[in-house]
């Protein structure tokens, strides 16, 4: 499932490349598709008859899990917070997949998950639970594998990326890449641009995912190495999840116009903008930089629709 790496543009004397995770060949791609593929390998091995997960109406993860469950004629239950339940392209698709969406106030999400799982089991069903965003060791493994693809590309093309940038949400994608780096003893810099969480919490979650994954895979790495290799930048969250400023908006339009690359404003556009600012701030120059395009194409269309509405005002 190797995704392509393409040269995109020159910036401040650096060459920026994109790894097109958005072109993974099913469910509109994205990092949630790469994670979901591994989750469903587990599910297909067991005798599960339903899937339970959680996330908002704009969740790429929930949409992809719903899609893959529907393809298997498995029931899918999504616990969704009332506070973020507006209609989006992702939620329209989820409806199309006939999932059961259970909307509750965010404070009740945890208990509702427990309750739903208990209820299914009491009916003699065998549900498989997936944490929000595909968080956990399986999600981490998906991105350790992605790191190996990057290594293979470098070997083939005789190139080296001194930096890898990506949008970091739950941090699982970043954790997987950093695990790959640590297991290979590479000393490049992987920079997660936070799209929501602030430090120290954001960084600590990524570190915990790395620690847990390496421990479960019996590959001990010192705490110091984990801390040193986890770069979680919270300077561009712009007030939190889903919030973006006009500069991100303009960048999104420019990327589409000039390069034909869709970048949503919640994840990829926000992180790409953050990366450019970070390059300026840190005076990075003369490097090969890889940006992981983590997908979110349906969100890009939500953004386009908002642009159109604005224009009609
Ligand atoms: C979920 C998501 C991310 C963040 O991934 P995490 O593993 O949760 O950090 C980035 N980009 C897109 C498009 C996503 O849907």
């Amino acid at each position: 499932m190797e995704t392509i790496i393409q040269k995109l543009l020159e910036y401040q004397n650096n060459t920026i490349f994109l790894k097109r995770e958005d072109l993974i060949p099913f469910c509109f791609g994205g990092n949630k598709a790469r994670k979901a593929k591994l989750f469903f390998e587990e599910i297909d091995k067991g005798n599960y008859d339903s899937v339970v997960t959680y996330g908002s109406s704009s969740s790429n993860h929930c949409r992809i899990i719903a899609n893959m469950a529907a393809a298997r004629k498995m029931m899918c239950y999504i616990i969704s917070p009332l506070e973020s339940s507006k209609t989006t392209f992702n939620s329209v698709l989820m409806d199309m997949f006939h999932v059961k969406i259970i909307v509750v106030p965010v404070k009740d999400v945890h208990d509702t998950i427990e309750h739903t799982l208990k209820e299914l089991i009491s009916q003699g069903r065998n549900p498989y639970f997936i944490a929000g965003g595909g968080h956990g060791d399986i999600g981490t493994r998906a991105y350790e594998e992605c790191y190996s693809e990057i290594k293979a590309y470098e070997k083939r093309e005789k190139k080296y990326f001194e930096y890898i940038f990506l949008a970091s949400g739950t941090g699982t994608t970043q954790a997987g890449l950093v695990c790959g780096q640590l297991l290979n003893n590479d000393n490049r810099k992987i920079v997660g641009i936070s799209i929501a969480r602030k430090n120290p919490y954001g960084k600590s979650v990524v570190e915990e995912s790395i620690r847990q994954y390496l421990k479960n895979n019996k590959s001990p790495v010192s705490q110091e190495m984990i801390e040193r290799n986890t770069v979680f930048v919270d300077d561009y969250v712009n007030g939190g999840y889903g919030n973006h400023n006009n500069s991100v908006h303009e960048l999104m339009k420019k990327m589409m116009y000039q390069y034909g690359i869709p970048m949503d404003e919640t994840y990829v556009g926000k992180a790409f903008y953050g990366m450019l600012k970070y390059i300026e701030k840190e005076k990075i120059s003369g490097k090969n930089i890889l940006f992981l395009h983590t997908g979110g194409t349906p969100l890009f269309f939500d953004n386009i629709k908002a642009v159109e509405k604005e224009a009609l005002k």
Side-chain angles (χ1 to χ4, degrees), residues 29-32 35 58-61 63-64 90 132-135 139 143 166-175 193 195 197 206 232 241 264 266-268 271 292-297 299:
N31 62 343
K32 304 312 185 302
K35 294 179 193 180
S58 61
S59 167
N60 295 311
H61 162 75
R63 185 243 317 150
I64 292 173
N90 277 333
H135 187 63
Y143 274 86
L166 74 154
S168 215
T170 68
T172 314
T173 304
Q174 184 178 356
I193 304 287
I195 53 86
R197 287 177 181 160
V206 182
F232 188 86
Y241 183 83
D264 78 284
T266 300
Y267 293 103
V268 176
L292 200 69
H293 190 315
T294 41
T297 305
L299 299 179

